[in-house]
Amino acid sequence: MERRQVCIVGAGISGLLACKYMLQKGFNPIVFEAKSSIGGVWSKTISTTKLQTPKPLYQFSDFPWPSSVVEDFPDHHQVLHYITAYANHFDLLKHVKFNTLVQSLHYQGPPEDEMRAWHLWGGTGQPFSPKGKWKVSVKNTLNGEIEEYVVDFVILCIGRFSDVPNIPEFPPNKGPDVFRGRVIHSKDYASMDNQIASDYVRGKQVTVVGFQKFALDIAMECQVVNGKRLPCTVLYRTEHWVMPDFLPWGIPLAYLYLTRFSELLVHKPGESLLLSLIATILSPLKWVFSKFVETHITRKLGLRKFGMVPRHSFHQQMNACLISTVPQKFFEKVEEGSIILKKVPSSFSFCEEGILIDGEATPLKTDLVILATGFNGEKKLKDIFASPTFQDLIKGSPDSTIPLYRECIHPEIPQLAVIGFSESLSNLYTSEMRCRWVAELLDGAFQVPSIEEMKKDIKKWEEYMKEYSGQHYRRSCVGALHVWYNDQLCKDMGWNPKRKKGLMAELFEPYGPLDYTS
């Protein structure tokens, strides 16, 4: 019997995991990777980038870190070596077609009016259909040749933190085009070799826009090159909780947020009346945990001195998956004047000399602006579909989350899964669980419910995300409900969701990747 062919788009962590688990189930995976190497965002980044999650939470369940890596937060070279070792160990590279950009996906199946009448995913509830195939159009990035493949199933592992930069919109005649200096995105900076990047910022007055991890790392690199003579200015709109470590007051953060007990403090999608009552009663503890972490960060980094204490709670930021570690000595460099923090209350625009901040008469003079404003992952996900109908379905409405059941499949897009778009506190850990779920689904271990039931479940998760993530709900973060989320996947697959030994361990020990080792 001919093996089903599964197309996997992207050879980052999610793509490699998908490839491994497809092979394990006897499918024939083909991985299309636009770059010349594996690793996704880890294949090329700035020199100071380190892992943002403690190493025990960021590892493959069946391939632990080598004993030679002793750091809790390995640098990007160590992470890439670890990912490469995983790919070599499971002999995955022979299934990857490098320098191959997927340009579009076209579903060849029943007419759209018939598909709209379906009550089950794909019409039958099955992951494969004799009536449908995906036509995948790919471009060789070296010679420009176009090829087409017809496959039985597609797994999109394209991530949301690469390729399509998120560029702010500006009024007419107030954008980067009127500025005499240079404006680049952090993506462009990261693509440079280390020495070229240093030379590029040397002797320039640099302004970095943004206050997420990438922005802070770039600011630190600029101050190393230019020092106090030409301080780097960081423009930000909102203060964020940045972690000096993952040990608030000496207690591992995982004990506060990655246990079954910690999840009892919040209302969960699809919870029982009893669990809802427990969450209501215990909710004050949620505030206590949050304040416990906030006081540690504020004290250790001296945030009050710099006017950098966020107004929102740490708990909300956890639920939005916006937790990152601050570069070592970052605020020391702020204090000495090598880095200047400047808040932008509303918006900014450009003029010839630099940046105009609303409410200020004098422009901020600068030579180079680096926009560390993130990426437009939603556009990248939408644009890969040839069908306007599928484009509309995958993006959902502007005031909803991306509508994915179990954060993996769209109820109305057949024979396709998305891995790695919804965020978590450890994307490797979560992607592996999702890849195993998809592999079991494709292998026939279970069926998904009706389209209507899936939509109801998606709505419940959306309500949770809006309640706890605030304005960042479209990040579809499962950050503070890791265990509850994995429980759903385990129950679907027929696994026992309780992975610890004993009641106390089950309640109070943090869950991590090794708990789900087969």
Side-chain angles (χ1 to χ4, degrees), residues 256-447:
L256 300 175
Y257 287 102
L258 293 179
T259 69
R260 286 193 182 278
F261 179 76
S262 67
E263 294 189 4
L264 288 175
L265 314 185
V266 298
H267 292 285
K268 297 165 281 295
E271 67 186 359
S272 65
L273 181 61
L274 176 61
L275 287 177
S276 177
L277 181 62
I278 291 173
T280 301
I281 294 171
L282 295 181
S283 61
L285 272 180
K286 178 183 66 181
W287 180 87
V288 171
F289 283 10
S290 189
K291 288 299 178 185
F292 183 80
V293 179
E294 291 167 23
T295 54
H296 169 76
I297 298 172
T298 302
R299 178 196 61 86
K300 192 155 187 177
L301 297 179
L303 297 185
R304 294 194 187 283
K305 178 168 50 177
F306 304 106
M308 294 299 293
V309 179
R311 294 184 179 181
H312 59 269
S313 71
F314 179 81
H315 185 268
Q316 184 188 84
Q317 198 163 308
M318 277 282 293
N319 276 277
C321 290
L322 286 169
I323 299 300
S324 63
T325 55
V326 65
Q328 278 190 328
K329 299 184 178 180
F330 179 85
F331 283 100
E332 291 180 27
K333 297 302 177 182
V334 174
E335 190 161 25
E336 78 174 23
S338 299
I339 296 174
I340 297 172
L341 300 177
K342 185 170 182 61
K343 184 166 184 173
V344 179
S346 54
S347 62
F348 72 93
S349 57
F350 287 89
C351 63
E352 283 192 12
E353 295 86 2
I355 291 175
L356 284 170
I357 297 171
D358 281 6
E360 296 188 8
T362 306
L364 175 66
K365 294 185 178 180
T366 188
D367 303 310
L368 169 65
V369 177
I370 303 176
L371 299 172
T373 46
F375 295 86
N376 194 338
E378 295 174 18
K379 177 176 171 55
K380 181 168 66 166
L381 182 62
K382 176 180 75 73
D383 288 352
I384 202 167
F385 292 96
S387 161
T389 299
F390 282 176
Q391 288 182 353
D392 290 341
L393 286 172
I394 198 69
K395 73 179 182 181
S397 65
D399 61 348
S400 70
T401 57
I402 299 296
L404 297 174
Y405 177 69
R406 299 292 192 248
E407 304 302 332
C408 291
I409 64 171
H410 191 289
E412 295 174 277
I413 301 180
Q415 297 167 244
L416 179 135
V418 180
I419 305 290
F421 190 82
S422 166
E423 293 187 66
S424 75
L425 300 181
S426 174
N427 288 326
L428 186 157
Y429 168 21
T430 310
S431 285
E432 180 165 16
M433 289 298 293
R434 290 170 179 163
C435 287
R436 296 167 87 171
W437 185 87
V438 170
E440 295 290 340
L441 174 64
L442 268 59
D443 197 39
F446 67 96
Q447 274 189 252

Side-chain angles (χ1 to χ4, degrees), residues 188-217:
D188 305 310
Y189 180 88
S191 67
M192 301 178 189
D193 291 331
N194 296 339
Q195 187 57 54
I196 293 175
S198 295
D199 292 341
Y200 190 75
V201 301
R202 193 181 310 279
K204 295 186 179 72
Q205 188 75 60
V206 181
T207 299
V208 178
V209 179
F211 199 72
Q212 294 299 323
K213 175 62 178 172
F214 222 10
L216 305 189
D217 282 343

